């Protein structure tokens, strides 16, 4: 990021708020529909003057997990980092302080316990992607990638 910044939880929840009802779909076949409330990733980018040339956004979780998504996907779909689930503060087991609401992506892209975001102009493979899961993770698309 052009202007690296640390946000407190209070600063995040004071940013403009967005709510959406979204399905979380797992590659194992189950799904879960809920109302998610949080801040658009675009708002955080605006606050930090995110790198113009960045193509990939990496989300890091408190437990060491990581995943990435295309910056354009995040902006074009108004993707949010949620701090509330069905109008209740996100419980620790659901991802407090923040869970990425990666609409139309499989659940392994829905990073929980997000504590750091990094922008880069290089591709990135997170925990499950390094183990063969598809890096685009489109719901309805292939769960695994062929590697040559």
């Amino acid at each position: 990021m052009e202007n690296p910044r640390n946000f407190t939880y209070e600063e995040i929840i004071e940013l403009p708020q967005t709510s959406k009802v979204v399905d979380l779909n797992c590659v194992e076949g189950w799904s879960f529909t809920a109302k998610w409330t949080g801040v658009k990733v675009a708002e955080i980018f605006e606050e930090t003057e995110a790198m113009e040339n960045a193509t990939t956004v990496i989300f890091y979780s408190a437990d060491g997990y990581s995943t990435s998504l295309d910056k354009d996907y995040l902006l074009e779909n108004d993707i949010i980092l949620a701090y509330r689930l069905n109008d209740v503060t996100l419980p620790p087991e659901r991802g407090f302080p923040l869970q990425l609401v990666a609409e139309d992506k499989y659940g392994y892209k829905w990073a929980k316990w997000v504590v750091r975001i990094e922008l880069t102009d290089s591709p990135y493979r997170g925990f499950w992607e390094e183990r063969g899961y598809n890096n685009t993770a489109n719901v309805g698309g292939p769960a695994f990638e062929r590697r040559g």
Side-chain angles (χ1 to χ4, degrees):
M1 291 190 183
E2 304 287 326
N3 180 19
R5 172 147 180 231
N6 290 321
F7 289 90
T8 65
Y9 180 75
E10 290 72 27
E11 287 172 325
I12 293 286
I13 64 175
E14 287 173 7
L15 291 171
Q17 171 181 301
T18 299
S19 292
K20 296 180 172 189
V21 175
V22 179
D23 296 330
L24 187 165
N25 295 281
C26 181
V27 291
E28 296 171 337
W30 58 266
S31 65
F32 169 72
T33 303
K35 178 182 177 186
W36 303 90
T37 302
V39 60
K40 290 180 187 176
V41 174
E43 290 286 343
I44 293 171
F45 291 171
E46 208 170 284
E47 291 287 320
T48 60
E49 299 172 13
M51 292 172 33
E52 291 285 326
N53 62 334
T55 55
T56 302
V57 181
I58 307 168
F59 296 88
Y60 295 95
S61 301
D63 65 351
Y65 186 81
S66 66
T67 193
S68 67
L69 287 160
D70 287 343
K71 181 180 165 191
D72 288 345
Y73 157 80
L74 296 166
L75 298 176
E76 290 166 8
N77 294 284
D78 292 327
I79 299 304
I80 65 173
L81 280 165
Y83 45 78
R84 283 213 274 298
L85 172 63
N86 292 330
D87 297 323
V88 175
T89 297
L90 203 58
E93 66 274 11
R94 287 294 328 144
F96 181 87
L98 299 167
Q99 178 169 359
L100 184 64
V101 180
E103 293 176 58
D104 301 320
K105 302 291 183 184
Y106 283 123
Y108 59 91
K109 290 291 187 181
W110 290 56
K112 295 181 184 179
W113 310 295
V114 174
V115 293
R116 188 164 67 95
I117 300 169
E118 179 183 333
L119 282 85
T120 180
D121 58 1
S122 302
Y124 178 84
R125 293 187 180 283
F127 181 86
W128 286 113
E129 298 87 346
E130 279 292 320
R131 288 153 178 82
Y133 279 76
N134 191 312
N135 205 22
T136 51
N138 292 327
V139 170
F144 296 97
E145 288 183 344
R146 291 178 204 240
R147 297 213 185 148

